[in-house]
Amino acid sequence: MMRRFEQFVYGILLVPRKKRLVLVLTLLAFILSVLMFPSKIVLAKMLPGKSTNTFSIYVDLPNGSSYVQTQNVNQCIVSILQKEKEITDIEVFNGMGSPLDYAGLVKGSSFKNGEHVSEIVVNLTDTHQREEKSYMMVHRLRGAIQRTCEPLVAQTSIKMVEQPAGPPTQAAIVVELYGENTERLSALAEEIKTILAKTSDLKDVDIMHDDIYPKLSLRIDHDKAARAKLSIERIHRLLYLGFEGMNVTYKNRSDSPTQIPLFLVFSDASKSLEKMSKEALSAKLASLVLMNDEGLSVPLSEVVRVEEVLSTPTILSKNLQKMVSIVAEADLVSQVYPLLQARSAIKEHFQARYDISGTHLFDLRLKDKQSGEIYDLVWDGEMKVTMDTFRDLGGAFIAALVLIFLLMVVYYKSFALSGIVLLGSFLSIIGVIVGHWIMDLFSHGTFFLTATSLIGFISLMGISSRNALLLIDFSQAMIAHGMAKKEAIAHASATRAKPIMLTAAAIILASTLLAADPIFGGLGVALIFGTIAAVVASLIVVPVLLDNTNSL
């Protein structure tokens, strides 16, 4: 077997046309593999989807919506979820967020407060006991829930939130819009939200800011209360009792170390209004009567007035600048490509009114052509983490290439041999990219080239360099003993093929467990297919390059 391989390599080295064919095929394979990125055959993403046993649903109604409206939307969502056999239980937190979890660390679920918000936590059967992955279930349910439940209240936003596989971010894509004019910021945010909503593969688009809406406020007339001989505390207590409920007394029990509060609350029909209006609220106050110190009954409408006021929105800022955030999720795709599509659409949409310039990476600066006002559009979220990670890993890869090259120059005193070692190592990228394409065929479009894939590629640099070093050193030893150059290279390739393949087999077998992992699958695939490509490059391409150089 070894003899046959030696003859095979020697036959290639003897014929210049065969050597050119090997180099041309290698170059063609490299170009085709790299073209898989712009052609979207292989997609890049920070981390793949993670199948977990839980996910959350954020429900955001327009500011000023009532508790009843929020509850109606919740019931609509729950009715759809209850039809799923893999869902074990559902927890609804109306008017608040759920207890803080991994996803809620940066999504701000703990800050949810108000009648117009809620969070639904969905628990599933164990991931090893069901065929459907959690992110596939989210993908399937998202459209049905949003189509059915969002129209119940206009401008309702329902977002499906999965537990992140890596560093938690506010969303897959976050657009931070900075400016000084609050009204213009809100208007620009609405336009950008519309563009993102029309971008393919982007879901759960929403604006993270409070709207200004009219509301009714109850103000106690202190002068009238004093003349009616009613204390402010008693008025407050009756208002809470009439609309919310309150502790009215305590009960003592021998088996309880503390007093047990008794909470009194009116029925829904008694504490709710027929319609939200100043007249209906005034009539409600007139029905609530409080007895003063002289035993006279005083309706609350005599000492409490109803006023129509505007809400006070939360002012969001970052780095001491006013900011509005627009968030969007990428549905089973890499967020890089929808971002590029949305960025082009934003530039095209605003170019008539604004002078647009780039600032940093994908960030944009919009300058109003009439007023001169400047607005900065900064991309954040998982997209920024992806770019930062790939930038850092790319820098590490370049540093590894430079260090290997310098080390080889010092060792061999030859730039040509050092370049061959470097090129043989770099060709493993063909296997890495093709391997991800093959795996994506079996996973139906959900396997991405991730940060762990790049870590595997960087790790292959040392292994691939070792293969080339074995061939060069053995060839030099054979030539020093008087063997012809072509024979020495062919003999070195055949002799070192066995240890190279045994090393490759050990790496491949050890990486099969990683390939099945949802997070480190990219690392395993990169090591498996990259090692295969490195072996082919070491035993066929490197001998051809060595034969073409005069430094051996």
Side-chain angles (χ1 to χ4, degrees):
M1 184 71 180
M2 186 176 71
R3 183 63 180 171
R4 289 181 181 177
F5 184 72
E6 181 178 348
Q7 292 175 351
F8 172 74
V9 175
Y10 187 69
I12 293 176
L13 299 181
L14 280 178
V15 183
R17 181 176 57 84
K18 292 184 178 180
K19 292 196 295 183
R20 287 195 298 270
L21 180 61
V22 169
L23 296 178
V24 169
L25 290 178
T26 303
L27 178 61
L28 185 63
F30 175 76
I31 294 174
L32 291 177
S33 62
V34 173
L35 287 178
M36 287 184 177
F37 289 112
S39 61
K40 299 183 181 180
I41 297 176
V42 174
L43 303 179
K45 196 170 184 271
M46 172 62 188
L47 284 173
K50 179 184 178 182
S51 183
T52 61
N53 298 333
T54 182
F55 64 87
S56 298
I57 301 175
Y58 290 175
V59 180
D60 296 303
L61 273 67
N63 293 86
S65 300
S66 67
Y67 176 89
V68 175
Q69 290 175 308
T70 307
Q71 185 63 19
N72 290 338
V73 177
N74 291 338
Q75 290 175 351
C76 173
I77 297 173
V78 171
S79 65
I80 296 176
L81 296 176
Q82 286 176 334
K83 300 176 183 178
E84 297 294 322
K85 297 180 180 179
E86 302 293 351
I87 294 178
T88 58
D89 51 76
I90 304 167
E91 301 169 279
V92 179
F93 299 86
N94 204 350
M96 59 183 291
S98 69
L100 197 60
D101 57 9
Y102 189 35
L105 286 174
V106 292
K107 295 182 183 293
S109 63
S110 61
F111 297 105
K112 288 181 176 292
N113 185 26
E115 296 185 6
H116 65 291
V117 298
S118 67
E119 181 174 347
I120 302 174
V121 178
V122 182
N123 296 319
L124 310 174
T125 56
D126 189 80
T127 183
H128 301 292
Q129 299 177 359
R130 52 183 161 85
E131 295 182 359
E132 187 177 31
K133 299 183 183 298
S134 62
Y135 54 83
M136 296 300 295
M137 181 181 294
V138 168
H139 169 73
R140 177 170 55 83
L141 293 176
R142 175 183 276 118
I145 291 176
Q146 292 177 345
R147 286 192 302 269
T148 306
C149 303
E150 282 186 342
L152 294 179
V153 179
Q155 299 181 357
T156 296
S157 173
I158 300 175
K159 296 182 282 293
M160 312 288 283
V161 180
E162 303 172 57
Q163 294 296 321
T169 56
Q170 191 174 13
I173 292 180
V174 179
V175 181
E176 294 180 348
L177 191 61
Y178 296 89
E180 295 299 325
N181 190 323
T182 304
E183 294 183 358
R184 289 295 302 147
L185 272 180
S186 300
L188 283 174
E190 289 291 346
E191 293 184 69
I192 294 174
K193 175 187 175 182
T194 303
I195 294 173
L196 294 181
K198 294 179 180 179
T199 303
S200 58
D201 298 323
L202 287 185
K203 307 294 182 182
D204 298 351
V205 183
D206 196 13
I207 302 176
M208 310 301 290
H209 77 109
D210 292 339
D211 297 321
I212 299 176
Y213 60 94
K215 65 177 185 178
L216 300 177
S217 176
L218 300 180
R219 302 290 176 88
I220 299 177
D221 191 322
H222 289 72
D223 292 336
K224 288 186 177 181
R227 289 195 296 269
K229 298 183 179 181
L230 293 174
S231 67
I232 303 301
E233 180 184 0
R234 294 177 63 190
I235 296 174
H236 273 294
R237 289 170 63 87
L238 185 57
L239 286 174
Y240 272 101
L241 180 62
F243 292 97
E244 297 290 343
M246 61 178 294
N247 295 333
V248 292
T249 187
Y250 294 90
K251 176 178 176 58
N252 295 318
R253 288 178 61 97
S254 59
D255 57 352
S256 177
T258 58
Q259 290 181 315
I260 302 173
L262 298 181
F263 193 83
L264 179 63
V265 61
F266 291 170
S267 65
D268 291 340
S270 299
K271 67 179 182 179
S272 61
L273 303 176
E274 293 183 0
K275 62 178 181 177
M276 182 56 66
S277 65
K278 186 176 181 180
E279 293 74 18
L281 185 55
S282 299
K284 172 71 175 179
L285 293 176
S287 66
L288 298 175
V289 179
L290 193 62
M291 186 173 293
N292 65 6
D293 296 337
E294 296 180 351
L296 299 177
S297 298
V298 180
L300 283 186
S301 57
E302 295 292 328
V303 293
V304 178
R305 62 178 184 270
V306 181
E307 297 180 355
E308 292 184 355
V309 297
L310 294 178
S311 64
T312 303
T314 302
I315 300 176
L316 299 177
S317 64
K318 185 176 180 180
N319 299 327
L320 301 180
Q321 292 180 291
K322 293 181 180 178
M323 179 196 70
V324 175
S325 294
I326 306 100
V327 299
E329 294 291 344
D331 191 18
L332 289 183
V333 297
S334 171
Q335 70 279 0
V336 178
Y337 306 96
L339 181 146
L340 295 175
Q341 182 182 348
R343 185 177 184 271
S344 299
I346 289 173
K347 292 177 66 176
E348 182 179 354
H349 179 80
F350 289 112
Q351 64 182 359
R353 291 175 289 159
Y354 296 89
D355 292 323
I356 303 175
S357 60
T359 54
H360 175 70
L361 286 178
F362 300 119
D363 299 346
L364 298 174
R365 171 162 289 180
L366 310 179
K367 183 178 180 180
D368 195 300
K369 293 182 178 180
Q370 295 182 352
S371 65
E373 294 179 339
I374 295 177
Y375 302 92
D376 287 321
L377 191 153
V378 179
W379 299 92
D380 205 336
E382 187 179 343
M383 179 61 210
K384 186 176 186 303
V385 176
T386 301
M387 296 304 300
D388 291 345
T389 302
F390 278 62
R391 178 200 63 197
D392 295 342
L393 290 176
F397 169 66
I398 294 173
L401 288 179
V402 173
L403 290 175
I404 291 174
F405 181 76
L406 294 177
L407 184 62
M408 293 302 100
V409 170
V410 173
Y411 181 71
Y412 286 117
K413 306 293 190 299
S414 170
F415 288 102
L417 292 180
S418 303
I420 291 173
V421 173
L422 207 63
L423 183 60
S425 304
F426 188 74
L427 290 178
S428 61
I429 194 174
I430 299 174
V432 174
I433 299 175
V434 173
H436 280 75
W437 170 64
I438 293 174
M439 293 300 296
D440 191 60
L441 295 178
F442 291 100
S443 60
H444 306 291
T446 59
F447 199 89
F448 303 95
L449 190 139
T450 63
T452 58
S453 305
L454 289 184
I455 294 173
F457 177 49
I458 296 172
S459 302
L460 284 171
M461 296 298 296
I463 300 170
S464 304
S465 299
R466 173 184 173 276
N467 295 343
L469 289 173
L470 288 173
L471 296 183
I472 294 174
D473 288 346
F474 198 87
S475 298
Q476 287 179 333
M478 293 297 100
I479 294 174
H481 283 79
M483 187 178 290
K485 182 180 178 180
K486 295 183 186 298
E487 294 179 0
I489 295 173
H491 185 67
S493 300
T495 304
R496 292 303 181 189
K498 186 175 181 179
I500 288 175
M501 289 184 177
L502 288 176
T503 303
I507 296 172
I508 292 172
L509 292 176
S511 302
T512 51
L513 295 177
L514 285 175
D517 187 85
I519 306 301
F520 295 99
L523 173 60
V525 170
L527 290 175
I528 292 172
F529 290 92
T531 299
I532 295 174
V535 169
V536 175
S538 300
L539 298 179
I540 297 179
V541 181
V542 171
V544 173
L545 295 174
L546 289 177
D547 187 51
N548 288 341
T549 183
N550 297 322
S551 300
L552 191 63

